[in-house]
Amino acid sequence: MTTAALSSVPLSKAALFEAQAVKISARRNRLLSLPALLIIGIFGVLPLIIICVYSFLVAAPYGGVQWQFSTDAYLNFLFQRDIFDDTLQFTPDFLIIYLRSFLFAVVTTVICLLLGFPTAYFMATRPPAQRNWWVLLITIPFWSNLLVRTLAIMFIIRDEGLINNALIGLGVIDKPITMLYTNFAIQLGLLYAFLPFMVLPLYSSLEKLDFRLIEAAYDLYATRRQVLWRVIIPLSKPGIIAGCLLVFIPALGAYVTPLILGGGIHLMIGDLIAQQFGSGRNWPLGCAQALILMTAVLVALYFYVRNTSGKVQHG
Amino acid sequence: MGIAFENQLAAPQLPSRPAYGDNQTGTHLPERAGSLNGVIVPEQPGKNAIEVRGVRKVFGTGENQVAALDTVSVSIRENEFFTLLGPSGCGKTTLLRLIAGFDFPTAGEILLHGQDIAPLPPFKRPVNTVFQSYALFPHMTVAQNIGFGLEMLGKARAEIEARVAQMLKLVKMEALKARRTSEISGGQQQRVALARALAPQPKVLLLDEPLSALDYKLRKEMQIELKRLQHETGITFIFVTHDQEEALTMSDRIAVMSAGKILQVGTPRDIYDRPAERFVADFIGETNFLPGTVVSKQAGVATVKFASSATISAGYPEGFDPTGEVTLVVRPEHADLVPDPAKGTIAGTLANIVYFGTDTHYHVKLDGGGENFIVRHQNSRSSPVTYATGAKVGIQFEEDAARVLKD
Ligand SMILES: Nc1ncnc2c1ncn2[C@@H]1O[C@H](COP(=O)(O)OP(=O)(O)OP(=O)(O)O)[C@@H](O)[C@H]1O
Ligand SMILES: [Mg+2]
């Protein structure tokens, strides 16, 4: 009896203590997550709410907003009010810029994937001691500002730039090829800016790949192409998904690159939105455009992730 | 156990031989295993599945050079259970990788059914591997893993399904065929790896320590299963292990390797009873080494004189000419104690008696000095004599018990 009583006392004490510990740790967890919640709230949710509210207001003549409800900003996205008879007329200018931006972003993502995959594979198959050096090389562009690097591209591809001068000097051409301020220039700039964002996630998932699986596939009569499609790509899917998202989303909203290399002639969404807050003096329209972009990205993302994760499950 | 070996049928002179599965209890498996596999596979010239000719494999460059394989030559017959046995780092995996085609020999050539396979990439060799790490595809189910090889060979879907079902049945994995390979146990993974390698019906199956990760009981079960599979499928097995007991119980022939070289190739009984070198004798089973001097020799049998001036006749390996000081090897169970020291070939004092249940080990401190000589006695109810530590005893050798070693 006494032993039972004795043993039950420390037991219940322990249980009590444990319960307390759980409570404390739960409280501590909440406390620890507070900074994250604050940051998300202040820098993520709050601006979004402001943008959302502003998009339903009326533009003030010299920038800013007038506190008066209106859906004009959204109407203006697709229509323009005729100055004379006040009717709405379909103007696809903005839509075209959006579609073009999507095209730019898709092409950027695809080319980055095609270039980035072999690069990442090469890095992941180096001896471990070498790999970190390769990662370092890939991250070198991050050491300087994107604006500076974009300006550098400008100097390389402009009419009197490095490429044209070299080609003329070699006698290949006698008139410079116009590359600056073209779609080509924007595409080149986007590729250059976002390639590392594709390579790094691809590398991190390829590095974890068990290369014995590749040997196993070769052993089971898979050709190199089959090994790639049946083993390497399915197993590096997380990296592919992450890389594509990291390239596609920022490429879609790119601002500096098209501004400098497109010369303000070939706009992308980012420049369009920036214009509304600058020379356009139409903050509600800018807000509406930003929200439409965000919605489009979210919808695209939803289908992309649903599709790819489904494929992973079916092998 | 339902494991009727062909060679068992061909050996009516050994009617009381235990079935394979009953052979798993003793502490001295070797000699029983030897009798199990004692029937020598007949020489079939020109019927070699794999021929390894003077293969060298050097890793690294300059000062870091390692000769993982140092001029290895061996022939593996069709339909043979061939084992590569040796300590860690002796080059077993390297040899398998060269046969599978994951690496290329620095020198020498490998023939498959008489054809040089150097130009063939792994996916063109009718050779499959059961990897030590299993290397199952984590993004596929058990059934998809097993069917992978057939799919890559471009077989029809119906054929693949039938074959996968057959393989699942063979390794008793039908119930788990839809599972991910990460959702099954280690032993189950091993069986899937085996089924996956067997499904395309390769000419040669390479097994790299496929049982090393399993617990004792499962390993014993899998040994039986492997032997059954090999018998049923008629595939040549090249099996890697560093477990001598496993090698002796399962193999038709064994190649003992050390430091990148093959020291001896032979049946388990050959290897156990007639080791050619000290390493082989030492690596497999317990052994006594005795120094002696060759007095005369004739027709493969040498007369060797001990320090005690007693003489004994001992066989020696083919192509070896023993002279002068040599080392003899005697297995503990091939010697016997006699109470009268004068009646033994050699004599000494009982230093230690170790009881093992099925048998007893007597450690004898020899009169001439040197290492203790171990005599193994099978225990029976009516052991005629009991010995006590400190007693003077003689040691008698059975006929052919002693062998002259090469080094
Ligand atoms: N890729 C490699 N680079 C350098 N050295 C290697 C390489 N692979 C193997 N070796 C060396 O070659 C030797 C033989 O290796 P191997 O893997 O064939 O041994 P093993 O007999 O399979 O050993 P274990 O029983 O431990 O698996 C070892 O000394 C090993 O260090
Ligand atoms: Mg190995």
Side-chain angles (χ1 to χ4, degrees):
Chain A
M1 285 305 262
T2 42
T3 48
L6 271 176
S7 70
S8 78
V9 170
L11 248 182
S12 61
K13 241 185 198 168
L16 248 173
F17 184 76
E18 208 168 276
Q20 229 164 12
V22 167
K23 237 186 258 169
I24 289 170
S25 78
R27 202 182 305 153
R28 190 184 300 149
N29 278 349
R30 237 173 292 152
L31 214 65
L32 281 174
S33 62
L34 200 63
L37 290 176
L38 272 176
I39 288 171
I40 292 171
I42 293 172
F43 296 107
V45 179
L46 196 63
L48 208 59
I49 292 170
I50 295 173
I51 292 172
C52 195
V53 170
Y54 272 33
S55 71
F56 287 104
L57 297 176
V58 173
Y62 302 105
V65 287
Q66 286 174 345
W67 285 86
Q68 186 187 340
F69 179 79
S70 157
T71 53
D72 272 4
Y74 291 93
L75 285 176
N76 280 343
F77 185 71
L78 287 178
F79 304 97
Q80 227 159 34
R81 215 172 275 283
D82 197 290
I83 310 168
F84 301 108
D85 58 7
D86 221 32
T87 53
L88 288 173
Q89 245 157 13
F90 180 66
T91 17
D93 293 359
F94 293 155
L95 200 63
I96 287 170
I97 293 178
Y98 268 60
L99 291 177
R100 232 204 13 223
S101 299
F102 261 88
L103 198 65
F104 270 131
V106 167
V107 171
T108 306
T109 310
V110 170
I111 296 180
C112 277
L113 185 60
L114 292 179
L115 292 177
F117 200 90
T119 312
Y121 191 83
F122 172 83
M123 289 164 65
T125 48
R126 292 312 93 193
Q130 267 183 36
R131 287 183 207 159
N132 287 338
W133 289 105
W134 287 106
V135 173
L136 197 73
L137 283 178
I138 291 289
T139 53
I140 280 180
F142 296 146
W143 298 358
S144 64
N145 187 283
L146 178 62
L147 184 65
V148 177
R149 285 181 282 138
T150 311
L151 286 170
I153 292 184
M154 194 169 134
F155 280 102
I156 293 170
I157 63 171
R158 65 182 178 161
D159 286 2
E160 301 85 33
L162 221 59
I163 294 176
N164 276 319
N165 279 349
L167 287 178
I168 292 171
L170 286 169
V172 181
I173 49 172
D174 42 44
K175 258 193 291 177
I177 303 168
T178 308
M179 288 180 281
L180 194 57
Y181 307 142
T182 61
N183 286 336
F184 167 78
I186 298 177
Q187 192 60 70
L188 186 73
L190 290 175
L191 284 175
Y192 170 73
F194 294 114
L195 190 56
F197 294 100
M198 181 64 86
V199 173
L200 291 177
L202 281 178
Y203 165 75
S204 87
S205 81
L206 281 171
E207 197 209 3
K208 286 187 221 99
L209 192 87
D210 184 353
F211 282 86
R212 289 174 297 190
L213 294 177
I214 295 173
E215 283 188 351
Y218 276 135
D219 190 60
L220 291 161
Y221 314 109
T223 58
R224 288 178 183 87
R225 181 186 295 253
Q226 283 168 323
V227 168
L228 179 68
W229 284 105
R230 296 300 306 276
V231 178
I232 299 175
I233 289 180
L235 288 176
S236 54
K237 208 146 233 172
I240 295 174
I241 292 175
C244 286
L245 294 182
L246 283 179
V247 170
F248 180 77
I249 296 172
L252 191 58
Y255 167 65
V256 172
T257 310
L259 184 73
I260 294 174
L261 299 176
I265 310 162
H266 302 273
L267 292 182
M268 280 182 70
I269 300 173
D271 310 293
L272 188 67
I273 295 170
Q275 260 186 13
Q276 309 313 324
F277 291 92
S279 55
R281 286 186 191 153
N282 194 342
W283 288 21
L285 182 58
C287 290
Q289 286 171 344
L291 281 178
I292 289 167
L293 170 64
M294 212 179 84
T295 314
V297 168
L298 280 178
V299 170
L301 211 70
Y302 172 75
F303 283 108
Y304 177 64
V305 170
R306 207 179 62 165
N307 254 353
T308 42
S309 63
K311 263 184 215 136
V312 168
Q313 248 165 31
H314 297 298
Chain B
M1 296 309 296
I3 303 140
F5 300 132
E6 255 163 358
N7 49 16
Q8 198 169 5
L9 297 173
Q13 73 272 25
L14 293 167
S16 64
R17 193 160 51 161
Y20 182 79
D22 302 330
N23 191 20
Q24 307 302 330
T25 46
T27 50
H28 55 277
L29 270 164
E31 81 258 55
R32 283 215 253 152
S35 68
L36 174 75
N37 293 294
V39 183
I40 295 165
V41 179
E43 274 289 353
Q44 287 175 306
K47 278 288 222 174
N48 286 332
I50 296 271
E51 250 174 87
V52 178
R53 287 191 187 159
V55 163
R56 259 178 76 78
K57 177 67 191 177
V58 179
F59 287 112
T61 49
E63 283 184 14
N64 304 325
Q65 267 196 359
V66 193
L69 287 178
D70 195 359
T71 328
V72 165
S73 296
V74 64
S75 298
I76 295 151
R77 295 178 197 126
E78 262 176 35
N79 204 352
E80 188 173 35
F81 198 115
F82 191 88
T83 297
L84 298 173
L85 175 66
S88 187
C90 69
K92 306 180 297 285
T93 299
T94 305
L95 184 53
L96 285 201
R97 289 176 59 81
L98 295 182
I99 295 172
F102 304 135
D103 265 325
F104 297 98
T106 313
E109 56 181 2
I110 298 171
L111 308 186
L112 177 75
H113 296 285
Q115 272 190 321
D116 190 358
I117 51 171
L120 297 183
F123 55 86
K124 290 203 178 136
R125 300 186 183 193
V127 171
N128 286 147
T129 309
V130 179
F131 293 87
Q132 187 167 4
S133 58
Y134 310 149
L136 298 177
F137 303 121
H139 57 298
M140 299 180 196
T141 63
V142 166
Q144 283 169 338
N145 263 280
I146 297 174
F148 188 82
L150 296 163
E151 208 183 312
M152 294 302 112
L153 285 172
K155 300 282 187 220
R157 184 150 293 276
E159 189 187 339
I160 296 175
E161 271 168 22
R163 187 104 187 100
V164 167
Q166 193 189 345
M167 283 295 128
L168 283 166
K169 197 165 163 229
L170 194 69
V171 296
K172 303 190 184 72
M173 288 289 294
E174 293 119 309
L176 303 176
K177 65 178 177 191
R179 287 263 189 99
R180 287 300 175 107
T181 53
S182 54
E183 295 163 354
I184 56 177
S185 79
Q188 291 163 342
Q189 286 180 23
Q190 203 263 319
R191 282 185 274 167
V192 175
L194 197 63
R196 186 180 70 172
L198 278 168
Q201 292 175 298
K203 296 244 169 65
V204 177
L205 188 66
L206 310 176
L207 303 102
D208 195 352
E209 300 190 33
L211 310 179
S212 59
L214 307 184
D215 66 62
Y216 184 80
K217 192 163 171 292
L218 189 56
R219 192 160 75 229
K220 290 293 162 201
E221 274 175 33
M222 288 305 304
Q223 285 178 358
I224 296 168
E225 208 147 308
L226 273 184
K227 197 67 196 172
R228 175 174 65 85
L229 279 175
Q230 196 248 343
H231 185 72
E232 283 177 6
T233 55
I235 295 172
T236 306
F237 274 40
I238 305 182
F239 185 88
V240 163
T241 183
H242 52 229
D243 180 344
Q244 48 134 334
E245 180 187 311
E246 197 167 271
L248 289 168
T249 52
M250 300 184 71
S251 320
D252 292 324
R253 285 195 308 153
I254 298 172
V256 181
M257 293 182 70
S258 169
K261 287 195 165 70
I262 291 185
L263 300 182
Q264 191 176 356
V265 181
T267 61
R269 170 153 274 188
D270 267 344
I271 298 281
Y272 186 78
D273 283 353
R274 291 178 287 280
E277 296 187 34
R278 179 183 277 263
F279 180 90
V280 177
D282 213 14
F283 191 71
I284 297 177
E286 260 179 303
T287 316
N288 296 301
F289 296 109
L290 290 170
T293 315
V294 176
V295 181
S296 65
K297 62 200 168 229
Q298 164 184 62
V301 179
T303 307
V304 180
K305 199 171 88 174
F306 292 120
S308 62
S309 82
T311 59
I312 184 174
S313 56
Y316 54 85
E318 231 175 284
F320 172 62
D321 185 31
T323 43
E325 303 278 318
V326 291
T327 305
L328 293 179
V329 56
V330 181
R331 294 290 182 191
E333 63 276 12
H334 295 160
D336 219 343
L337 289 185
V338 283
D340 180 3
K343 285 226 173 95
T345 313
I346 50 177
T349 315
L350 255 182
N352 209 352
I353 301 174
V354 186
Y355 178 72
F356 276 101
T358 50
D359 46 32
T360 306
H361 290 193
Y362 298 94
H363 296 244
V364 182
K365 191 172 177 352
L366 295 180
D367 287 346
E371 275 176 56
N372 280 358
F373 191 99
I374 300 169
V375 174
R376 178 148 68 205
H377 248 246
Q378 185 130 23
N379 291 332
S380 66
R381 293 278 175 76
S382 54
S383 288
V385 194
T386 51
Y387 295 93
T389 329
K392 297 287 280 177
V393 290
I395 299 172
Q396 268 184 349
F397 298 140
E398 287 173 13
E399 206 170 320
D400 293 339
R403 294 275 301 172
V404 181
L405 289 178
K406 264 190 194 169
D407 58 311

